[in-house]
Amino acid sequence: MNELDWSILVTESVFAAVVEALALGAVALYVWYRRRQALAQGKLEDVVLLSFNFVDQDDEGQPLLAFRTPLVGSMNEIFMNDQLVSAIKRAASKTTDQDPIVRLSNERLHNMMQRGLINFSNQLNTQGQVAALTGQPFREEEHLLALTYEPGAVTKLFRIIIIKQELFTALDKAGDRLTFGLPYHRDRLTTLAAIRAEVDIDSQRETTSRVLAPFMVSAPVFDISKSEQ
């Protein structure tokens, strides 16, 4: 039996790894380019934004409805199922400005959609999960997730709205004094009102039949006293 030429095998392995890395890089670059192209052309039907909503203060000390959008993804990378993506888009076409929540009539698909929303949103929990896995102190806050198809600055688009119950209390407290950074931000109040109504309806449903997805936001707890020593 001929002896193996290890130098050739190593060279071929390295070459194969390099080719694979270049191929993956090319695919990633292509996906990034298509997303940028879609945004530039206003084709936002496959873009999904994750938005936090909270009540802040404007420059004059008045309550302000504020937003943060820490994550942006695509339908395919969030849900990873063509049948599910098609069902979501069909359901989105039936939503209204007054009720923009995406609901799937098929409970199995709706639960799949919820898992996709949770898995994608878990990118926010990286530091908290590391703390939990390494035995470090961390805290969790319960939130709710809703997938909406609502008006934006230019056109309708998909949003993952992440909220906690305290937001509704803050909105009630602000009342008519609530201000908005831009005029179209007022539309978010309609979305939040629809979600609030759904919270009450969900409380009467079985867990597996609820429209909104429960979501825990976790974060590490730092000991300030130790850091100052």
Side-chain angles (χ1 to χ4, degrees), residues 56-70:
D56 201 356
Q57 287 188 342
D58 64 14
D59 295 337
E60 298 179 355
Q62 295 298 310
L64 170 73
L65 184 60
F67 310 93
R68 295 291 184 274
T69 303

Side-chain angles (χ1 to χ4, degrees), residues 84 104-115 205-210:
L84 178 56
L104 302 186
S105 57
N106 184 306
E107 186 173 296
R108 179 182 65 85
L109 288 178
H110 190 85
N111 290 336
M112 285 177 61
M113 180 183 76
Q114 289 183 327
R115 288 194 295 272
R205 296 184 174 119
E206 296 293 332
T207 303
T208 56
S209 302
R210 291 176 181 171

Side-chain angles (χ1 to χ4, degrees), residues 27-82:
V27 171
L29 182 62
Y30 175 74
V31 171
W32 173 84
Y33 170 75
R34 286 298 301 272
R35 190 181 302 170
R36 285 293 299 273
Q37 188 178 49
L39 287 170
Q41 294 176 356
K43 297 178 180 178
L44 301 176
E45 65 271 14
D46 287 320
V47 175
V48 184
L49 309 178
L50 184 147
S51 294
F52 276 90
N53 307 260
F54 57 96
V55 176
D56 201 356
Q57 287 188 342
D58 64 14
D59 295 337
E60 298 179 355
Q62 295 298 310
L64 170 73
L65 184 60
F67 310 93
R68 295 291 184 274
T69 303
L71 295 177
V72 179
S74 70
M75 295 289 283
N76 287 331
E77 69 184 0
I78 293 173
F79 302 111
M80 298 182 290
N81 182 297
D82 291 340

Side-chain angles (χ1 to χ4, degrees), residues 46-209:
D46 287 320
V47 175
V48 184
L49 309 178
L50 184 147
S51 294
F52 276 90
N53 307 260
F54 57 96
V55 176
D56 201 356
Q57 287 188 342
D58 64 14
D59 295 337
E60 298 179 355
Q62 295 298 310
L64 170 73
L65 184 60
F67 310 93
R68 295 291 184 274
T69 303
L71 295 177
V72 179
S74 70
M75 295 289 283
N76 287 331
E77 69 184 0
I78 293 173
F79 302 111
M80 298 182 290
N81 182 297
D82 291 340
Q83 179 188 7
L84 178 56
V85 170
S86 296
I88 290 172
K89 289 183 176 181
R90 287 195 300 272
S93 68
K94 299 176 183 179
T95 62
T96 66
D97 289 351
Q98 297 301 312
D99 187 5
I101 300 173
V102 176
R103 304 172 179 83
L104 302 186
S105 57
N106 184 306
E107 186 173 296
R108 179 182 65 85
L109 288 178
H110 190 85
N111 290 336
M112 285 177 61
M113 180 183 76
Q114 289 183 327
R115 288 194 295 272
L117 297 176
I118 292 171
N119 291 337
F120 178 71
S121 302
N122 265 329
Q123 295 178 68
L124 299 170
N125 287 332
T126 303
Q127 292 185 342
Q129 290 171 349
V130 169
L133 293 172
T134 56
Q136 303 301 310
F138 70 99
R139 70 175 186 275
E140 289 186 322
E141 293 184 335
E142 185 174 6
H143 290 67
L144 293 171
L145 296 176
L147 181 65
T148 66
Y149 187 60
E150 62 174 22
V154 179
T155 184
K156 281 191 172 183
L157 45 78
F158 287 100
R159 286 187 187 274
I160 302 171
I161 304 295
I162 178 169
I163 60 170
K164 58 180 179 178
Q165 289 280 1
E166 287 83 348
L167 173 63
F168 300 133
T169 302
L171 289 173
D172 289 342
K173 184 178 179 180
D176 294 337
R177 296 181 298 113
L178 190 67
T179 59
F180 306 91
L182 293 170
Y184 73 89
H185 285 178
R186 185 180 294 272
D187 294 335
R188 180 59 56 81
L189 274 184
T190 304
T191 296
L192 294 176
I195 293 174
R196 188 175 193 174
E198 201 65 52
V199 171
D200 294 335
I201 299 172
D202 264 357
S203 66
Q204 307 300 318
R205 296 184 174 119
E206 296 293 332
T207 303
T208 56
S209 302

